[in-house]
Amino acid sequence: KTIIVKIDKDNLKDDFAVSQLEKAGEIIRNGGLVAFPTETVYGLGANALDEEAAKKVYEAKGRPSDNPLIVHISNLNMLDDIVTQVPEVAKKLMDAFWPGPMTLIFNKSGLVPKGTTGGLDTVAVRFPNHPIALELIEKSGVSIAAPSANLSGKPSPTMGEHVIDDLDGRIDMIIDGGMVGMGLESTIIDVTSKTPMILRPGFITYEMIKDVIGEVGVDKAILSKPTADFKPKAPGMKYRHYAPEADYSIYRGTAEKVADKIIMLANEKADKGFKTGVITVDQHLNLYQRKLNKDIMVVSLGNLDKPETIANMLFKTLRDFDKAGTKFIFGEAFSQHNVGWAIMNRLTKAAGYNIIDV
Ligand code: TXA
Ligand code: MG
């Protein structure tokens, strides 16, 4: 049976919080699994240096065993045990963005089992910026391997409720710390190559990274659909991730044209009796008003001028459509600037690369 506790991240000195985090730390130390909030998405944690514990993570998620886990630390000294060397560029990035939503790929030390790294000689490390995550790592006394706390293939969880939906009964404990701050997984940067390379876009943007280290590459797989010729460098990026159950398609063009197209297609599906949804933004809601079949669920992800609001609602919205039994989702595309790149990367994968220019 899974222990489920609610903890207020701003009140960790509270007796209940202290005792529950101690219990959670003990579970991790003893090889068990605890889901916990981070500032990006919820993670499913296990002792990173315990091969058996890592195995349980793959089982609980139904995750392919070649997809490596991210190791979470709560202070820089913990790196010494995990990696062979910290390159100069990595130091600069760490100074600028840790603790925070950035994961770095290093060459792994002998202490890190291949069960944690999906068989690779490199290891992904992140120093999260969330009081519960940090306290859990401290209390457990070990670094914590944690993929996102969803069943493999589902959108990453941004609320305790999402974790409960996916993992209740499959893990030892779930710490519900409310809605996460960001809602998109960390930016992953490989610092083992001569020119560091972005493997997954996130809140730490291409521009921000460039400002700190000058030169940075981008894994081809982020920009287009992986083919037989090239494989993404982050094994996880090759799977159809973040996917809702519905047939989801994205339309790109001027707001009015996109809205007209979506209205036509959505009404067609709804008239045939299919549960249908539309994804838009605050600024465009008026374009759909009174033109859509009344059974269609229209959701605004947020304000175009505040992309962080959009990032925050994205996975929750996809999950809500699943819960409603939605069969078709029609959505707008976003500009790929700054955080928009990460947003479009996730949406594109959720839509199975189904993007249509209008
Ligand atoms: O924000 C986050 O990063 C969240 C929270 C929980 O910290 N974690 C997360 O983990 O998103 P996960 O497992 O869902 O995604 C990890 C990604 C996968 O695409 C995986 O392939 C890649 O990181 N990765 C891990 N280790 C790697 C390595 N050694 N080389 C290349 N890619 C790696
Ligand atoms: Mg994931």
Side-chain angles (χ1 to χ4, degrees), residues 305-326:
D305 298 326
K306 294 187 192 130
E308 64 285 357
T309 60
I310 292 172
N312 198 252
M313 285 298 288
L314 200 149
F315 290 142
K316 175 182 187 302
T317 302
L318 296 178
R319 279 181 179 262
D320 286 347
F321 276 128
D322 276 354
K323 276 189 194 163
T326 312

Side-chain angles (χ1 to χ4, degrees), residues 36 38 40-44 61 63 66-70 72 101 103 105-106 117 120 122-124 126 128 146-150 156 184-188 199-200 233-237 241:
F36 60 97
T38 80
T40 57
V41 299
Y42 274 77
L44 172 56
K61 280 185 58 106
R63 181 177 176 107
D66 69 340
N67 190 1
L69 311 178
I70 296 176
H72 294 66
T103 296
I105 311 282
F106 296 95
T117 64
L120 298 176
T122 53
V123 60
R126 184 160 100 80
S148 49
N150 49 283
S156 292
L184 285 184
E185 308 88 345
S186 60
T187 305
I188 303 179
L199 307 189
R200 179 173 75 183
K233 293 198 69 186
M237 300 284 282
H241 232 191

Side-chain angles (χ1 to χ4, degrees), residues 266 268-277 295-296 325-328:
E268 220 172 85
K269 293 297 180 197
D271 290 345
K272 285 190 187 145
F274 293 112
K275 266 235 155 88
T276 301
D295 298 330
I296 295 174
T326 312
K327 291 286 177 282
F328 290 91

Side-chain angles (χ1 to χ4, degrees), residues 3 46 56 130 170 186 199 206 233 259 276 281 283 305 307 312 321 328 339 349 352:
I3 305 164
K56 289 189 203 161
H130 190 288
R170 305 175 72 94
S186 60
L199 307 189
Y206 177 82
K233 293 198 69 186
T276 301
V281 292
Q283 281 88 340
D305 298 326
N312 198 252
F321 276 128
F328 290 91
V339 181
K349 282 150 85 35

Side-chain angles (χ1 to χ4, degrees), residues 161-319:
E161 191 190 313
H162 299 161
V163 182
I164 295 168
D165 286 346
D166 280 14
L167 298 177
D168 189 12
R170 305 175 72 94
I171 63 178
D172 299 299
M173 185 171 186
I174 296 172
I175 301 176
D176 181 346
M179 185 118 185
V180 298
M182 296 176 172
L184 285 184
E185 308 88 345
S186 60
T187 305
I188 303 179
I189 311 167
D190 184 352
V191 290
T192 64
S193 50
K194 206 154 149 248
T195 307
M197 191 177 301
I198 301 176
L199 307 189
R200 179 173 75 183
F203 264 80
I204 308 290
T205 63
Y206 177 82
E207 290 78 6
M208 289 161 75
I209 296 164
K210 237 180 142 178
D211 279 349
V212 172
I213 58 172
E215 204 190 350
V216 61
V218 173
D219 186 23
K220 251 167 69 180
I222 296 177
L223 304 171
S224 51
K225 186 174 175 169
T227 65
D229 305 342
F230 74 97
K231 272 200 277 184
K233 293 198 69 186
M237 300 284 282
K238 74 172 174 278
Y239 297 105
R240 183 176 174 212
H241 232 191
Y242 323 111
E245 320 244 320
D247 180 315
Y248 172 31
S249 49
I250 297 176
Y251 298 81
R252 191 164 49 192
T254 61
E256 290 75 16
K257 274 196 183 164
V258 165
D260 284 347
K261 181 86 178 178
I262 288 179
I263 289 164
M264 185 188 84
L265 294 170
N267 281 341
E268 220 172 85
K269 293 297 180 197
D271 290 345
K272 285 190 187 145
F274 293 112
K275 266 235 155 88
T276 301
V278 167
I279 298 180
T280 179
V281 292
D282 294 352
Q283 281 88 340
H284 301 161
L285 271 172
N286 64 314
L287 297 174
Y288 296 89
Q289 247 152 27
R290 289 185 298 277
K291 291 188 187 155
L292 283 171
N293 178 317
K294 65 174 175 16
D295 298 330
I296 295 174
M297 196 165 138
V298 186
V299 177
S300 166
L301 290 181
N303 185 338
L304 271 184
D305 298 326
K306 294 187 192 130
E308 64 285 357
T309 60
I310 292 172
N312 198 252
M313 285 298 288
L314 200 149
F315 290 142
K316 175 182 187 302
T317 302
L318 296 178
R319 279 181 179 262

